[in-house]
Amino acid sequence: MLNQVNTMKVRVKIWLDEDERIIFGEGVRNLLLAIQRTGSINRASEELNMSYRRAWEKIHRVEKRMGQTLVITQTGGAHGGGTSLTEVAREMLNRYDQLESEVTAFANKKFVELFGE
Amino acid sequence: MLNQVNTMKVRVKIWLDEDERIIFGEGVRNLLLAIQRTGSINRASEELNMSYRRAWEKIHRVEKRMGQTLVITQTGGAHGGGTSLTEVAREMLNRYDQLESEVTAFANKKFVELFGE
DNA sequence: TTGCGTTATGTTTTGCTGGGAATAACAAAT
DNA sequence: ATTTGTTATTCCCAGCAAAACATAACGCAA
C-alpha cells in the first residue's frame, strides 16, 4: 500500500533540555566542534556560514542555562586572541555524539522493520 | 563534573523525508489524529490552535509529496460536510507512532546510561 | 430560497529570527 | 605608537513564515 513511498528515509533530531529550553543540541555541537578545529569563534562561525554574533549568542545562552563554562576566550595578542574548549565542553561533546549516533542507528533499524518491504 | 545539569531530559524528534523534504512528521500526525477524532479539518485546527488555512496546506503538501490521498472530504450537506481519513493515512499513523515511541524509549534508556550518575 | 457549517483558496498584515554594519577593548609583535 | 585579528556588544533592517482577513462553492434542511 505504501510502496510508492519507499524512497523515504527516517530523520532524527536529538537534544537535551530543561523546562522546554534547549540545553544542548546539534547547533551548539557543530559550533563547539568548529571552535575546537579552528581555535576561534570567528573562524568557526565563518565555516558554518553563521554570523559571529549568532555563534557567540548561541554559546553563551547555553553556558547560562547549564551554569557551566564551555569556552575559554582570550582577546588580544599576536594573533588577536582565540577560543578553546573547557573540559566540560569536551565531555558534553563526547556524550552527546555517542547518544546521537546510537539513537540514529536504532531509528534506522526500526524504520526498515516498520516501513521496509 | 556534569552533576549540576542532571535535571536535563533528552528530547527526540522524528520525521520521514525524501530529498530533504518532510514527508511525514509530528505536525501532520497530530493533525490527522485530531481530524480522526473530530471529523472535520475545521474543528481539528481549532483544537490545535492552528488556522484552518495552515492545517489544510499542511495536509495537502504532504499528500502531494507522498503521491497519496490522506483525507476524504465532503462539502455541503446537513452539517456542512466533513473530513475522514483514508486507509493509507491510518496505516501511516500506526507505523509512525510505533517508530516514534520505540525510538523515544530507546533514547531515554541511552540517555540515562550516558548522563545518569 | 435562505441559512448553516464545512471545504477551498487568494490576498494582506504582522511578528520574529537572523544578518550585517558599526564600535570598542584587548594584547602581542614590530 | 601602529598594526593586527580576535572577542564582545549594540542597533537597525530584511526576509520569511505564520496569522488574519476575505470570499466562493457546496448541499442538506427548514
Side-chain angles (χ1 to χ4, degrees):
Chain A
M1 177 206 301
L2 297 176
N3 48 348
Q4 277 136 303
V5 274
N6 62 8
T7 58
M8 294 189 303
K9 285 189 182 348
V10 63
R11 305 245 354 240
V12 181
K13 189 167 274 186
I14 295 169
W15 69 99
L16 309 178
D17 92 2
E18 189 169 359
D19 306 327
E20 306 300 306
R21 296 176 313 168
I22 294 177
I23 294 280
F24 199 95
E26 208 188 341
V28 189
R29 180 275 218 79
N30 291 338
L31 201 44
L32 291 180
L33 283 179
I35 289 171
Q36 193 169 45
R37 195 165 51 242
T38 62
S40 113
I41 297 178
N42 206 14
R43 283 196 295 276
S45 64
E46 276 171 16
E47 260 194 21
L48 301 177
N49 288 328
M50 177 189 300
S51 65
Y52 171 87
R53 190 176 63 86
R54 193 152 119 64
W56 185 87
E57 261 181 358
K58 223 179 184 59
I59 293 168
H60 287 263
R61 191 169 56 230
V62 170
E63 281 189 333
K64 216 175 235 175
R65 289 178 180 174
M66 287 184 66
Q68 295 275 0
T69 304
L70 295 176
V71 293
I72 299 162
T73 65
Q74 201 164 5
T75 71
H79 303 84
T83 298
S84 60
L85 302 189
T86 64
E87 184 56 30
V88 170
R90 284 194 294 270
E91 190 60 31
M92 283 296 288
L93 278 178
N94 284 340
R95 300 193 196 180
Y96 177 85
D97 277 351
Q98 191 159 356
L99 180 65
E100 205 261 350
S101 68
E102 290 193 38
V103 173
T104 299
F106 180 84
N108 278 307
K109 197 184 81 185
K110 280 292 161 192
F111 172 71
V112 172
E113 282 178 29
L114 286 163
F115 289 87
E117 45 270 298
Chain B
M1 178 205 302
L2 297 175
N3 47 349
Q4 278 136 302
V5 275
N6 62 7
T7 58
M8 295 188 304
K9 287 190 180 349
V10 63
R11 306 247 351 241
V12 182
K13 189 167 274 185
I14 295 169
W15 69 100
L16 309 177
D17 91 3
E18 189 168 0
D19 306 326
E20 306 300 306
R21 296 177 316 168
I22 295 177
I23 293 281
F24 199 95
E26 208 189 342
V28 190
R29 178 275 216 82
N30 291 338
L31 201 45
L32 291 180
L33 283 179
I35 289 170
Q36 193 169 45
R37 195 166 50 241
T38 62
S40 111
I41 297 178
N42 206 14
R43 284 197 294 276
S45 64
E46 275 171 19
E47 259 194 21
L48 300 177
N49 288 327
M50 178 189 300
S51 64
Y52 172 87
R53 188 68 228 268
R54 195 153 115 64
W56 184 88
E57 262 181 356
K58 222 179 182 60
I59 294 167
H60 287 263
R61 191 170 55 230
V62 170
E63 281 189 331
K64 215 174 234 174
R65 289 178 181 175
M66 287 183 67
Q68 296 274 359
T69 304
L70 296 176
V71 293
I72 298 161
T73 65
Q74 200 162 5
T75 72
H79 304 86
T83 299
S84 59
L85 302 189
T86 63
E87 184 56 29
V88 170
R90 284 194 294 270
E91 189 60 31
M92 281 295 287
L93 278 178
N94 285 340
R95 298 194 196 180
Y96 176 86
D97 277 350
Q98 191 158 355
L99 181 65
E100 205 259 351
S101 69
E102 289 195 38
V103 173
T104 298
F106 180 83
N108 278 307
K109 198 184 80 185
K110 280 294 161 191
F111 172 71
V112 172
E113 282 178 30
L114 286 163
F115 289 86
E117 46 271 298

